[in-house]
Amino acid sequence: MRRIVLVGLGDVELVRRVLSDLLLTPALRGQLEVVLHDADPGLRATAEALVRSLDAEAGARAVIGVSAERRRALAGADFVVAAIDVGGFEATLKDFEIPHRYGLRQTIGDTIGIGGIFRGLRGIPTFVELGHEMAELCPEAWLLSCSDPMAMTGLAVQLATGFTRFAGSCHAVCDTHLYLADLVGRGLDEVEFVTAGLNHQSFVLRFEAEGRSLYPELDAALAADDQHVRVEIYRRFGYFPTESSEHAAEYFPWFMRHKDETSRLGVQVEEYLRRSGQTLHRYEETRRALSAGRSLLVRWQHAEPASVAMLAMLTGQPKEVYVNVPNEGLIENLPREACVEVPALVDAAGIHPKRIGELPVQLVALNRTFQNVVELTVRAVLDGERRHVHHAAMVDPNTAATLPLHAIEALCDELIDAHGDLMPEGVRR
């Protein structure tokens, strides 16, 4: 029996998708133990009811357990799927409302920017604890993270714990591949893709069919489209980026501070608050559906990366999955310790990332700007150095383009105070 532990249960839609894929696999019937952990007893109760409903409908005969104590949940695990959001919606709201008063505009704010930095400050200590505990209690297990900011938590786990069986799982690459194939009128299985970079800032390096580039066909399809940030980046840097235009806008200094640009390009300011509200709404909808006895099993194919990876390892049927893993030379012109996004072959023996070589110099320049924010945020936590919080914000592209240095420092200090005990001890006043 294989033990799958879910840590963090607030995103019920993720729980539903990941476990539907596993429970519907005939070869795994009667072979799975699912353990649910969250500090919140209400989330544990809802998740348990959901998983028992999915299991009964799928006829999977899984053993289902719930644990309020994380170490107990982790013991003997084969896979740990982490969807951790320390502070939840209330903390996210502070990440947007306080910068708004300083005149700093954000869109998603979960990976870079002020929002990404403070989400990292809250989440990194938990991931470091998790890495230490897995190294002790289940050293052969895979930690599959579905949590942002992935580049920060992946780097922190590697530097602080030495636990290397970390793989971040994100939809952005596969969603972009589907989008590009559709734009040129191709089925996804007709196109050869190679994409790499940092999570939420990767680039499609190869976009081919029948041995020729499809980028000229993409140019024709986009001829009249000058209304999206990712198209602007593609036209100027030569490779299509993976993240949505709303998200991509805050990775650069050229968009968010200019209201005419965000209006022209259709960038939805503070979009993440709406998405966070949708997550809360889905949670309440799930509770109502469970009370009414409605079906919640997801029977259609949706390629949830974490479940695709687990299924490949559990069944031995190889799959290509895009993962975020320690670099160690996979992308030669990014730091070896960086957590990079690359394709990987996943099979019964594990996750085997593919070497990319060097990224085009203009792309690695953009990644390095992002990586600077990542490294400084991680060092702020691991070194207990408050000044590195200021430094991370000062080199962040959108923040630096919008605010002077004294305002950036004041903003960071106000956010540290506002988040209180959610901040690492070393960076508090």
Side-chain angles (χ1 to χ4, degrees):
M1 188 160 282
R2 308 302 292 274
R3 184 177 176 96
I4 297 166
V5 180
L6 275 64
V7 176
L9 305 172
D11 188 345
V12 289
E13 187 62 20
L14 178 69
V15 173
R16 180 175 169 237
R17 291 196 309 264
V18 167
L19 290 181
S20 289
D21 285 350
L22 298 176
L23 296 173
L24 282 168
T25 301
L28 299 180
R29 188 168 291 120
Q31 301 300 312
L32 297 178
E33 178 185 12
V34 178
V35 181
L36 306 170
H37 166 75
D38 196 289
D40 185 323
L43 294 180
R44 292 197 303 270
T46 299
E48 180 182 11
L50 171 61
V51 176
R52 291 194 183 281
S53 172
L54 299 177
D55 179 65
E57 189 175 353
R61 303 197 306 273
V63 175
I64 300 165
V66 182
S67 178
E69 204 278 305
R70 191 171 64 207
R71 289 179 60 86
R72 181 179 176 187
L74 294 174
D78 295 290
F79 301 97
V80 176
V81 180
I84 296 168
D85 179 13
V86 177
F89 181 74
E90 290 185 7
T92 297
L93 193 59
K94 291 175 184 177
D95 288 344
F96 278 84
E97 287 185 336
I98 294 173
H100 181 87
R101 288 198 281 100
Y102 283 76
L104 180 64
R105 304 198 305 162
Q106 301 178 91
T107 54
I108 305 298
D110 66 356
T111 298
I112 198 172
I114 289 295
I117 291 166
F118 277 83
R119 192 180 182 94
L121 293 173
R122 295 192 299 271
I124 288 169
T126 299
F127 268 93
V128 169
E129 291 171 5
L130 184 57
H132 280 303
E133 289 168 353
M134 289 184 66
E136 175 190 352
L137 300 168
C138 51
E140 298 304 310
W142 281 97
L143 171 54
L144 302 177
S145 172
C146 302
S147 313
D148 294 315
M150 207 166 283
M152 292 182 188
T153 54
L155 175 60
V157 168
Q158 181 187 183
L159 293 180
T161 73
F163 185 79
T164 59
R165 293 171 76 86
F166 174 99
S169 164
C170 177
H171 276 279
V173 173
C174 56
D175 288 351
T176 298
H177 291 177
L178 185 62
Y179 173 69
L180 291 179
D182 185 63
L183 278 176
V184 299
R186 301 267 184 165
L188 195 58
D189 59 352
E190 300 176 62
V191 183
E192 181 181 358
F193 289 101
V194 175
T195 297
L198 299 180
N199 181 235
H200 293 173
Q201 198 190 58
S202 287
F203 296 89
V204 180
L205 306 175
R206 181 178 299 167
F207 177 35
E208 297 178 354
E210 293 99 31
R212 60 182 177 82
S213 175
L214 294 176
Y215 267 126
E217 293 182 28
L218 179 65
D219 292 337
L222 294 174
D225 186 349
D226 60 354
Q227 302 299 311
H228 294 91
V229 170
R230 66 200 314 201
V231 175
E232 294 260 306
I233 298 302
Y234 162 55
R235 285 181 173 151
R236 285 165 172 80
F237 289 85
Y239 297 86
F240 205 82
T242 55
E243 199 45 64
S244 69
S245 290
E246 289 81 10
H247 208 161
E250 59 192 354
Y251 286 69
F252 309 105
W254 312 301
F255 302 109
M256 293 304 298
R257 70 183 294 256
H258 302 289
K259 291 185 179 180
D260 55 343
E261 280 294 274
T262 54
S263 177
R264 178 178 74 86
L265 296 168
V267 175
Q268 299 298 313
V269 178
E270 299 184 350
E271 165 69 8
Y272 195 68
L273 294 180
R274 184 185 67 82
R275 297 187 189 183
S276 296
Q278 287 179 331
T279 299
L280 295 175
H281 179 65
R282 282 195 296 268
Y283 178 76
E284 293 303 326
E285 281 191 327
T286 299
R287 292 182 65 192
R288 287 194 290 271
L290 288 167
S291 296
R294 296 200 300 270
S295 170
L296 288 166
L297 192 67
V298 182
R299 294 182 180 274
W300 61 89
Q301 292 293 318
H302 49 79
E304 183 64 45
S307 51
V308 172
M310 285 190 284
L311 284 170
M313 287 185 267
L314 289 168
T315 66
Q317 298 177 11
K319 293 287 184 180
E320 181 179 82
V321 182
Y322 275 80
V323 294
N324 293 266
V325 292
N327 185 16
E328 297 179 346
L330 297 171
I331 299 177
E332 293 172 4
N333 47 353
L334 282 175
R336 286 188 61 84
E337 67 273 12
C339 182
V340 297
E341 189 163 60
V342 296
L345 174 68
V346 186
D347 58 20
I351 298 174
H352 315 286
K354 298 181 181 179
R355 292 190 175 274
I356 299 299
E358 292 194 351
L359 290 183
V361 64
Q362 73 275 23
L363 303 186
V364 84
L366 297 175
N367 275 176
R368 284 172 178 155
T369 301
F370 180 6
Q371 183 66 15
N372 290 338
V373 181
V374 169
E375 289 181 3
L376 284 163
T377 306
V378 171
R379 294 289 10 146
V381 177
L382 300 189
D383 299 344
E385 181 53 77
R386 184 189 185 97
R387 290 182 303 168
H388 287 333
V389 179
H390 302 151
H391 297 153
M394 288 169 180
V395 302
D396 173 70
N398 179 40
T399 308
T402 306
L403 299 177
L405 292 172
H406 67 86
I408 294 173
E409 187 168 324
L411 168 58
C412 290
D413 288 343
E414 185 173 346
L415 274 166
I416 290 170
D417 290 345
H419 285 303
D421 291 344
L422 296 181
M423 291 288 96
E425 185 176 355
V427 306
R428 298 178 211 158
R429 288 186 189 274

